[in-house]
Amino acid sequence: MDIPRMGVPEKLADRMSMAEQHEYLRSKFSRRKALRSGAITVGALAVGGVLGSGSASAATTTPSLVTSALTSGINGSMVTPVGRHLAFGGEADTQIRVSWQVPAPVKRAFLRFGKTPWDLSHKVVADTRALHTPALTPTGAPVDQYYLHVSLHDLEPDTTYYYGVGHDGFDPASQQAISTLSTFRTAPARGWRGGKAYEPFTFTAFGDQGVSAHAAGNDHVILAQNPSFHLHAGDICYADPMGQGQDGDKVAYNAKTWDAFLVQTETVASKIPWMVSYGNHDMEAWYSHNGYGGENARFFLPTNGPDPRTVPGVYSFKYGNVGVISLDANDVSYEIPANLGLTAGKQTKWLDRKLRDFRGDESIDFVVVFFHHCAFSTTQAHASEGGVREAWVPLFEKYRVDLVINGHNHVYERTDAILGNKVSKAVPSGETIEPVKDGIVYVTAGAAGRSLYSFGAPDTYEGHEHRVDSIDTFHFAKGSVKVTETVEWSRVRYTGYSFIKVDVTPAHAGGKSSMKVTALAEDGTQIDNYTILRKAGETSHQH
């Protein structure tokens, strides 16, 4: 059945960028109209300062539109916070961001925290980011959502804190609500080695989760790994199942899918920083010129990238001897070009500087980069993104990035070590590599919960090896053109729900630190592993 279009006419939409579509839609769903109907709109994101000498601040936005008139009829004791999720700030050893959702506007939302569950004496007022989604189809209904955020500063490194979130009528320190308390732990002190090695730690990663029994199953197994943080490589919840970054996506858009996702993920994300990058299904044209206005309401990420207002999903942080970089591959995607060229090259220049800085930091042994679109994959769905290969792979090779994690293709696939688009070293399961001399292994971990894709070659993984010498596949070039290619770098392929865990074992300066990358199926079965080595404390600007 044809669904009548609202907003940008189809002939115009095909020629419009994300920003141009947003301007058109804004004239149709204007702020003035929203205010007249009592709707709430999301404010612009900026980072606030620290309150006094203390330990926290709320994120600063434009003046809140959650007025006393909206909250006056709400009984706060009947409203329970849900969907708690953590994130590091740019300095992961002293900064934590806590976010959550309430199903109705509340008065004076806040967070309590302290080092024990019986002493939550630190109380911080939360910032409310209220998000209004208009009726995007003739049969749809408007949706109002309310997200709360607090940024904690000046915390002690490598320390566990207890926290609870509440509002007038709901105090997490009360006997009735104390069961809602959770914990977070800060990273080890950054930049400090002092002749000693950091303690070993684990992190996990995947992409393309959505809401499903398989997604929840992966979360449960992830929690069992006790990770220090989790990386989500884009396509977070699939409220927009079409994923083209076009006005026409709204015919299938369901803002309430975000509610279900945040509740599903809370089991892990309320305890472990859940660091996201943005994929094609995370561009929602009706909220902002870049499609990320909705994400800015829901997440509170580090703002140390090239321009957090334009590309909020681009940032970096350090954890122990690992430097992590999140990128926005929509900016360079030839396959889905809604945001192609969004930063006019600024993101790529920032990436070059950040990789140089990380490689010049003697406290960092390993550099991990995660983003959505695959540099190297052989699925029959999206395969490889030529825009990523052109813009970023030369930088990954220049600085010998240790691990590149992607989503987009709903499978697990791992390459051999690659240099110059060719195999530089074969890396069967159980192998050890040193990126300085061997090249870079690329991991697609996109089987977090959405429907699975297929390969044009047989699955091959631990205990089920079916090695083939070459695979006929393709990559996307400018204009969304598929360019066929025959490749030899696809080493492991698994068509099942899965994720990766990375066990980091730091060494004393001069020794060799290791990162063991293990792929686990949703039932915990190991399907792949290999180990990355790098000399601890060694700095290098270029190889």
Side-chain angles (χ1 to χ4, degrees):
M1 181 180 72
D2 292 333
I3 301 177
R5 291 176 57 88
M6 297 178 66
V8 183
E10 186 170 3
K11 291 183 179 179
L12 288 177
D14 291 341
R15 302 195 302 268
M16 284 181 169
S17 68
M18 179 76 74
E20 291 168 336
Q21 291 182 63
H22 172 65
E23 289 303 314
Y24 187 101
L25 287 167
R26 190 169 66 171
S27 67
K28 187 152 193 170
F29 303 114
S30 70
R31 183 180 179 193
R32 181 174 299 174
K33 290 177 182 177
L35 289 173
R36 278 202 300 265
S37 65
I40 312 299
T41 60
V42 65
L45 173 62
V47 178
V50 179
L51 296 181
S53 64
S55 49
S57 68
T60 304
T61 66
T62 51
S64 174
L65 295 176
V66 182
T67 64
S68 59
L70 285 171
T71 61
S72 61
I74 302 296
N75 181 349
S77 66
M78 304 298 290
V79 179
T80 302
V82 294
R84 294 166 298 169
H85 49 289
L86 305 174
F88 289 128
E91 298 178 353
D93 59 339
T94 61
Q95 298 175 355
I96 288 282
R97 278 98 185 261
V98 183
S99 304
W100 67 99
Q101 186 177 7
V102 288
V106 295
K107 294 179 182 178
R108 289 180 284 274
F110 62 88
L111 175 144
R112 290 188 181 275
F113 74 103
K115 292 183 181 179
T116 64
W118 54 86
D119 183 11
L120 303 178
S121 57
H122 298 286
K123 184 177 180 181
V124 187
V125 175
D127 166 55
T128 301
R129 301 180 195 169
L131 185 65
H132 177 71
T133 306
L136 296 173
T137 64
T139 58
V143 176
D144 289 302
Q145 293 163 307
Y146 307 94
Y147 302 100
L148 294 309
H149 303 271
V150 167
S151 178
L152 302 178
H153 304 259
D154 299 324
L155 299 169
E156 294 183 22
D158 205 19
T159 300
T160 295
Y161 290 87
Y162 292 80
Y163 78 92
V165 297
H167 48 264
D168 280 8
F170 185 96
D171 191 333
S174 67
Q175 185 174 356
Q176 292 79 7
I178 199 167
S179 63
T180 66
L181 296 184
S182 189
T183 62
F184 61 78
R185 187 171 183 84
T186 52
R190 64 190 183 281
W192 182 84
R193 194 183 290 273
K196 298 172 63 177
Y198 289 106
E199 291 296 317
F201 64 93
T202 297
F203 68 90
T204 52
F206 61 37
D208 304 75
Q209 188 176 24
V211 181
S212 71
H214 297 292
N218 264 336
D219 282 354
H220 295 323
V221 183
I222 284 171
L223 190 60
Q225 311 310 309
N226 192 29
S228 296
F229 57 89
H230 179 77
L231 306 178
H232 192 151
D235 282 6
I236 302 169
C237 90
Y238 287 83
D240 173 7
M242 300 182 73
Q244 297 300 304
Q246 299 290 333
D247 170 55
D249 290 3
K250 67 177 178 283
V251 299
Y253 184 75
N254 183 358
K256 292 184 178 180
T257 302
W258 279 107
D259 302 346
F261 174 82
L262 291 175
V263 170
Q264 168 189 275
T265 308
E266 185 176 20
T267 56
V268 186
S270 62
K271 305 174 184 68
I272 297 161
W274 195 271
M275 309 303 293
V276 301
S277 62
Y278 295 147
N280 55 294
H281 286 272
D282 303 316
M283 297 184 290
E284 300 167 341
W286 34 91
Y287 293 127
S288 66
H289 74 283
N290 57 15
Y292 303 135
E295 314 296 6
N296 281 351
R298 303 175 190 110
F299 294 95
F300 192 8
L301 300 172
T303 53
N304 57 7
D307 184 351
R309 292 181 182 273
T310 301
V311 279
V314 180
Y315 57 89
S316 67
F317 65 93
K318 303 176 188 178
Y319 192 100
N321 65 333
V322 176
V324 181
I325 297 173
S326 170
L327 298 175
D328 178 11
N330 292 314
D331 182 31
V332 298
S333 174
Y334 291 152
E335 179 196 3
I336 302 171
N339 264 341
L340 178 62
L342 175 66
T343 71
K346 290 181 181 178
Q347 178 178 199
T348 301
K349 291 178 181 177
W350 174 84
L351 173 62
D352 194 348
R353 294 194 304 272
K354 181 54 64 176
L355 290 173
R356 183 178 65 246
D357 290 346
F358 276 177
R359 282 293 178 232
D361 186 339
E362 65 179 8
S363 71
I364 293 178
D365 299 329
F366 298 107
V367 176
V368 175
V369 181
F370 74 109
F371 55 91
H372 188 60
H373 300 64
C374 296
F376 298 96
S377 179
T378 63
T379 70
Q380 296 178 319
H382 302 295
S384 303
E385 174 55 71
V388 168
R389 288 190 189 177
E390 290 182 20
W392 297 341
V393 166
L395 293 178
F396 299 156
E397 296 186 355
K398 175 182 177 181
Y399 295 102
R400 289 297 195 271
V401 166
D402 298 284
L403 176 59
V404 178
I405 301 168
N406 300 137
H408 202 41
N409 287 293
H410 301 179
V411 293
Y412 174 77
E413 184 172 18
R414 177 177 63 75
T415 70
D416 285 320
I418 294 176
L419 287 175
N421 203 31
K422 296 180 180 179
V423 175
S424 52
K425 179 182 178 177
V427 188
S429 290
E431 184 61 86
T432 296
I433 69 162
E434 298 186 48
V436 170
K437 61 185 179 67
D438 295 332
I440 303 168
V441 170
Y442 294 81
V443 175
T444 298
R450 291 292 285 186
S451 56
L452 298 167
Y453 292 169
S454 60
F455 295 105
D459 278 19
T460 177
Y461 54 94
E462 285 188 21
H464 298 79
E465 283 80 8
H466 298 283
R467 176 69 182 162
V468 295
D469 292 333
S470 63
I471 296 175
D472 293 327
T473 182
F474 64 92
H475 68 268
F476 281 96
K478 289 182 179 178
S480 301
V481 175
K482 290 184 178 180
V483 178
T484 58
E485 59 182 359
T486 300
V487 304
E488 300 175 350
W489 39 251
S490 179
R491 171 59 61 171
V492 180
R493 296 177 298 278
Y494 177 73
T495 315
Y497 295 101
S498 56
F499 65 94
I500 65 170
K501 75 164 181 171
V502 183
D503 296 311
V504 182
T505 305
H508 294 275
K512 286 189 176 180
S513 296
S514 68
M515 276 201 316
K516 183 179 181 181
V517 181
T518 303
L520 297 175
E522 65 174 324
D523 64 358
T525 302
Q526 182 172 303
I527 55 175
D528 183 30
N529 83 95
Y530 74 101
T531 300
I532 306 165
L533 297 179
R534 187 174 283 272
K535 189 174 181 180
E538 185 177 56
T539 61
S540 177
H541 292 295
Q542 185 171 344
H543 300 283

